[in-house]
């Protein structure tokens, strides 16, 4: 994929070129939104909004890392969604069984390669991590998602979050520190290799 | 527990964001400081565990449609010209139609205005000018009369001249009523014509209507063909 050529075409209004870019970035955008918002439906909405907004403002892209630019669009969409939630809080509808009990592991999350026990363990771990991510302030969560989950470097994160490099460094350290503290309460869920150090307590 | 500066440096060290000299210094400290090393491994665990979060595949394609982004089909270059002409012709059509529809009411309610406006204008200025001429004549003759009374013993030629002037003065006065009468008669004829004729000719209205209809139809066809080509 010649990204630069596609971006140039999209800047001239070529929607097909932009859709090719979307197909390349949609998983990263959706995962970022999912980890920042912690809800799949909201993440879908935010991702869709982000792509619409990105197409409408693609003429403002002046080069550099396109991933950082698109991630800035998605983080903005996520912040909008979080502000909306704050104004109008809603209760998420969890999938239920016929008896009215909540399903912890919905069918659409199932991985056929895993045994039920492994699946349950993986789900619990994911919930624990997401719980700790949700406990972080928005700006810390964004930085940690972009740097540690999306694997972006500091300068890309700074572009996406629109904050100086020094702030990224500081936020990331604070976020990791808080994550470490939060994950201690889920120690038994963590795989042996990720067990936190007793000495540092 | 280490101070925040140390933790910040450890976090940056994990990401390879420290300079070479800073890294060396930190490595040396890590070898001698067990607590610092323990914090580093915790930060590393917290960092690495996030990388093991399952990468979800997006549940749907987020590709955009033209409707979603509000894109409109590209129109031919002549489209704005046609649109402008159609709007202008429609406005003129509405204006001329309204003027024609309202003109009888306007002329009946204010006849004196219609009389002085346009065709009937000939009579009014004449009527207005007539008294002024008359006054001017009177002013001219008055000093002559006064001179005659003041100096009756003056030589004869001057008094005869004055007498001639006084004789001549009635002539324009006699002519004026005729002109006024003629003008007012013409004016009343014209007034009748004005009330019967529409201010904007019917042909013009038809022309505006035709332009509006053709323009509207052309715009519709252009839009349809552009959107069908776009699909």
């Amino acid at each position: 994929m010649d990204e630069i050529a596609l971006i140039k075409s999209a800047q001239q209004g070529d929607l097909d070129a932009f859709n090719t870019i979307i197909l390349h970035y949609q998983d990263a955008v959706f995962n970022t939104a999912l980890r920042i918002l912690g809800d799949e439906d909201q993440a879908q909405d935010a991702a869709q909004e982000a792509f619409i907004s990105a197409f409408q403002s693609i003429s403002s892209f002046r080069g550099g890392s396109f991933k950082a630019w698109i991630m800035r669009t998605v983080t903005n969409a996520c912040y909008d969604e979080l502000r909306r939630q704050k104004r109008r809080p809603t209760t998420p509808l969890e999938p239920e069984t016929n008896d009215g009990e909540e399903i912890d592991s919905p069918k659409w999350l199932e991985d056929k390669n895993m045994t039920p026990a492994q699946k349950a363990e993986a789900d619990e771990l994911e919930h624990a991590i997401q719980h700790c991510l949700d406990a972080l302030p928005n700006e810390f969560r964004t930085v940690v998602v972009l740097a540690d989950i999306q694997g972006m470097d500091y300068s890309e994160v700074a572009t996406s979050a629109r904050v100086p490099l020094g702030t990224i460094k500081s936020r990331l350290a604070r976020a990791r520190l808080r994550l470490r503290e939060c994950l201690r309460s889920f120690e038994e869920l963590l795989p042996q290799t990720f067990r936190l150090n007793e000495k540092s307590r | 527990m280490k101070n925040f500066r140390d933790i910040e440096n450890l976090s940056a060290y994990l990401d390879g964001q420290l300079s070479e000299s800073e890294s060396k210094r930190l490595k040396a400290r890590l070898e001698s400081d067990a607590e610092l090393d323990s914090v580093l491994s915790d930060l590393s665990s917290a960092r690495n565990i996030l990388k093991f979060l399952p990468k979800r595949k997006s549940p749907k394609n987020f590709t955009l449609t033209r409707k979603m982004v509000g894109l409109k089909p590209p129109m031919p270059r002549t489209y704005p010209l046609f649109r402008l002409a159609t709007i202008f012709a429609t406005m003129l059509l509405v204006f001329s139609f309204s003027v024609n529809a309202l003109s009888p009411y306007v002329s009946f309610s204010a006849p004196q205005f219609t009389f002085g406006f346009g065709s009937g204008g000939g009579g009014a200025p004449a009527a207005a000018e007539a008294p002024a001429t008359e006054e001017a004549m009177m002013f001219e003759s008055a000093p002559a009369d006064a001179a005659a009374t003041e100096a009756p013993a003056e030589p004869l030629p001057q008094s005869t001249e004055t007498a001639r002037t006084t004789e001549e003065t009635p002539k324009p006065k006699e002519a004026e009523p005729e002109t006024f009468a003629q003008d007012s008669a013409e004016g009343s004829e014209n007034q009748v014509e004005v009330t019967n004729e529409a201010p904007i000719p019917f042909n013009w209205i038809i022309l505006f209507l035709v332009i509006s209809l053709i323009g509207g139809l052309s715009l519709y066809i252009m839009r349809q063909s552009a959107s069908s080509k776009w699909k």
Side-chain angles (χ1 to χ4, degrees):
Chain A
M1 183 182 83
D2 184 2
E3 193 175 91
I4 297 167
L6 287 172
I7 292 166
K8 275 186 183 167
S9 299
Q11 282 176 328
Q12 285 161 1
D14 186 349
L15 190 61
D16 294 334
F18 191 74
N19 279 335
T20 312
I21 299 172
I22 289 178
L23 291 173
H24 186 254
Y25 282 106
Q26 63 181 3
D27 287 343
V29 164
F30 171 72
N31 274 286
T32 304
L34 180 67
R35 296 306 166 202
I36 293 176
L37 295 168
D39 180 86
E40 198 167 315
D41 291 335
Q42 286 175 5
Q44 277 189 49
D45 291 346
Q48 191 70 79
E49 284 295 319
F51 282 125
I52 292 171
S53 166
F55 181 74
Q56 284 166 345
S57 60
I58 196 163
S59 54
S60 70
F61 176 69
R62 301 261 177 266
S65 164
F66 187 74
K67 188 180 180 183
W69 186 81
I70 202 105
M71 287 302 170
R72 186 169 74 196
T73 319
V74 74
T75 50
N76 285 341
C78 290
Y79 286 155
D80 287 346
E81 185 60 41
L82 289 167
R83 273 194 288 271
R84 210 174 298 138
Q85 274 179 37
K86 219 176 181 181
R87 282 199 301 271
R88 282 173 288 181
T90 51
T91 313
L93 292 170
E94 294 291 338
E96 290 180 347
T97 60
N98 291 335
D99 304 330
E101 288 178 4
E102 281 181 12
I103 304 171
D104 287 334
S105 307
K107 277 190 177 175
W108 61 81
L109 297 179
E110 276 177 13
D111 185 344
K112 284 169 186 168
N113 298 326
M114 283 181 166
T115 64
Q118 284 173 324
K119 175 80 189 82
E121 213 170 89
D123 284 347
E124 279 184 20
L125 177 64
E126 189 183 349
H127 280 128
I129 298 170
Q130 187 62 53
H131 172 83
C132 290
L133 278 175
D134 291 346
L136 293 174
N138 293 341
E139 60 272 24
F140 286 13
R141 196 187 316 144
T142 304
V143 168
V144 94
V145 166
L146 294 176
D148 289 345
I149 296 177
Q150 292 303 328
M152 291 164 74
D153 63 35
Y154 280 23
S155 61
E156 282 182 320
V157 179
T159 308
S160 300
R162 280 184 177 173
V163 286
L165 218 63
T167 314
I168 296 298
K169 195 175 158 187
S170 158
R171 282 184 185 176
L172 203 51
R174 284 178 196 278
R176 284 170 179 166
L177 206 63
R178 290 194 189 198
L179 269 177
R180 183 191 66 165
E181 293 305 318
C182 176
L183 287 169
R184 278 194 197 291
S185 52
F186 298 101
E187 190 91 20
E188 71 283 354
L189 293 175
L190 302 178
Q192 194 59 45
T193 44
F194 297 109
R195 293 274 159 92
L196 301 168
N197 211 324
E198 287 295 321
K199 283 182 275 179
S200 63
R201 287 189 186 189
Chain B
M1 184 70 191
K2 295 289 163 190
N3 64 37
F4 183 68
R5 185 79 189 156
D6 285 338
I7 292 167
E8 203 179 275
N9 280 337
L10 286 172
S11 173
Y13 173 73
L14 282 173
D15 295 320
Q17 296 290 321
L18 289 183
S19 65
E20 210 171 309
S21 59
E22 283 174 322
S23 294
K24 272 184 184 171
R25 231 178 295 143
L26 193 64
K27 267 182 191 173
R29 277 187 68 196
L30 283 168
E31 281 169 14
S32 59
D33 192 339
E35 196 188 343
L36 196 69
D37 188 50
S38 159
V39 175
L40 178 70
S41 62
D42 272 358
L43 283 176
S44 177
S45 297
R47 175 178 175 265
N48 290 335
I49 204 161
L50 291 174
K51 287 185 178 164
F52 281 82
L53 266 175
K55 292 262 190 303
R56 295 276 184 82
K57 223 176 145 48
S58 53
K60 63 168 191 176
N61 274 342
F62 293 106
T63 48
L64 305 176
T65 62
R66 290 182 179 105
K67 199 181 171 186
M68 282 162 93
V69 290
L71 276 181
K72 286 173 184 168
M75 291 294 170
R77 281 184 188 175
T78 49
Y79 185 81
L81 192 74
F82 267 87
R83 192 173 55 187
L84 189 74
T86 310
I87 291 169
F88 193 62
T90 313
M91 281 166 67
L92 282 173
L93 174 70
V94 172
F95 175 74
S96 52
F97 193 78
S98 322
V99 165
N100 279 2
L102 290 172
S103 64
Y105 301 103
V106 172
S107 60
F108 278 124
S109 61
Q112 69 277 18
F113 177 74
T114 351
F115 182 74
F117 183 76
S119 56
E129 278 170 27
T133 324
E134 205 173 334
E135 276 173 25
M137 298 288 187
M138 286 177 78
F139 275 121
E140 273 178 30
S141 61
D145 290 344
T149 46
E150 278 172 16
E154 279 188 6
L156 190 66
Q158 200 180 349
S159 62
T160 46
E161 205 176 302
T162 322
R164 222 178 284 148
T165 325
T166 45
E167 277 173 15
E168 282 170 5
T169 43
K171 280 180 185 173
K173 276 185 186 175
E174 284 166 11
E176 265 174 30
E178 281 176 24
T179 326
F180 183 75
Q182 277 177 357
D183 285 345
S184 58
E186 279 173 22
S188 59
E189 279 169 22
N190 286 338
Q191 189 186 356
V192 172
E193 281 174 18
V194 164
T195 47
N196 289 341
E197 265 184 28
I200 295 168
F202 190 67
N203 291 345
W204 282 94
I205 297 177
I206 295 290
L207 182 70
F208 296 148
L209 181 69
V210 169
I211 293 172
S212 302
L213 287 173
I214 290 174
L217 195 69
S218 310
L219 290 175
Y220 177 76
I221 292 167
M222 276 180 185
R223 223 177 295 142
Q224 289 299 316
S225 68
S227 56
S228 65
K229 271 182 198 171
W230 210 39
K231 278 171 190 170

